[in-house]
Amino acid sequence: MTICVHQRECLFGEVCDGGMLVNPCGSVVESIWGGLSEYFPGIILDAHVIMPNHFHGIIIIDGVG
């Protein structure tokens, strides 16, 4: 999945020297991503990446209902 920030505003941090430096908003995204499977037990979280104005993540739906 990919989620973009409204009007592509850079809210999650910045790219510096080829790496992503997340700010507090980016840290919130990271935290929420890590806890999704607690709220939705039928999913498996795979690779993800936070970018300055969007987020990519792979969610595997584990055959639930």
Side-chain angles (χ1 to χ4, degrees):
M1 67 172 205
T2 298
I3 298 175
C4 295
V5 174
H6 179 65
Q7 296 183 346
R8 301 193 184 222
E9 187 175 354
C10 293
L11 295 180
F12 300 148
E14 62 182 302
V15 176
C16 184
D17 294 327
M20 178 62 191
L21 298 174
V22 295
N23 61 20
C25 290
S27 293
V28 169
V29 172
E30 183 80 37
S31 177
I32 291 172
W33 173 258
L36 279 177
S37 58
E38 294 175 32
Y39 293 99
F40 303 100
I43 66 170
I44 299 168
L45 302 176
D46 201 355
H48 71 283
V49 63
I50 299 172
M51 299 303 291
N53 63 3
H54 64 284
F55 171 85
H56 298 286
I58 298 173
I59 296 175
I60 301 165
I61 300 171
D62 194 23
V64 175

